Amino acid sequence: PCARFTVHAVAIAVVVAAVMCAIAGFVLLVIQSVLSLQGHWNVYKQGARNVAEGVQRLVARVTGSMPREVAEEISQNALLRAEELLSAIVTEVLSNAWRFVLEFLMMALYIAFWLSDP
């Protein structure tokens, strides 16, 4: 009986530890992604500028020459919208990530109670 209890307790501890490690790995992955995004924000801005310039060249080919002021306004507006969209996406991902972590913790609790049932 003592050996069975010990093995059972070790099994519960291993499962709970594995779930906690999975949660910690996911949290670290999300944090690393956000830090990487912040660190390379200038690259994303340059990419948005390149896209805006490409659209300007395409519009210039189709409609003829576009005034420089209008092109700059379009470029700035596109960059602003891209920043807003990216901010909304990051916010949504982080809010869903914490919900995922909470659900994972609830699952770990359920597994622990299920395994501890004699």
Side-chain angles (χ1 to χ4, degrees):
C2 183
R4 181 184 164 127
F5 174 76
T6 304
V7 169
H8 198 74
V10 168
I12 292 170
V14 167
V15 169
V16 170
V19 170
M20 293 301 184
C21 286
I23 291 171
F26 182 75
V27 168
L28 289 175
L29 181 73
V30 169
I31 290 171
Q32 181 66 26
S33 297
V34 169
L35 293 176
S36 174
L37 179 71
Q38 287 177 342
H40 296 100
W41 185 245
N42 290 334
V43 175
Y44 290 104
K45 278 185 165 182
Q46 184 61 39
R49 283 189 198 107
N50 291 344
V51 168
E53 289 172 5
V55 169
Q56 287 173 6
R57 284 192 299 270
L58 179 66
V59 169
R61 283 185 190 168
V62 172
T63 63
S65 182
M66 183 186 303
R68 185 72 181 157
E69 304 84 37
V70 174
E72 282 296 320
E73 184 178 339
I74 291 172
S75 176
Q76 290 299 325
N77 200 6
L79 188 59
L80 180 66
R81 297 290 183 240
E83 287 180 9
E84 289 173 358
L85 178 67
L86 192 57
S87 175
I89 288 172
V90 167
T91 301
E92 189 66 27
V93 165
L94 288 178
S95 67
N96 286 331
W98 290 117
R99 192 185 80 209
F100 176 77
V101 167
L102 181 63
E103 288 177 4
F104 223 107
L105 284 171
M106 293 302 290
M107 184 182 74
L109 183 64
Y110 174 75
I111 289 171
F113 281 126
W114 177 58
L115 289 176
S116 66
D117 186 30

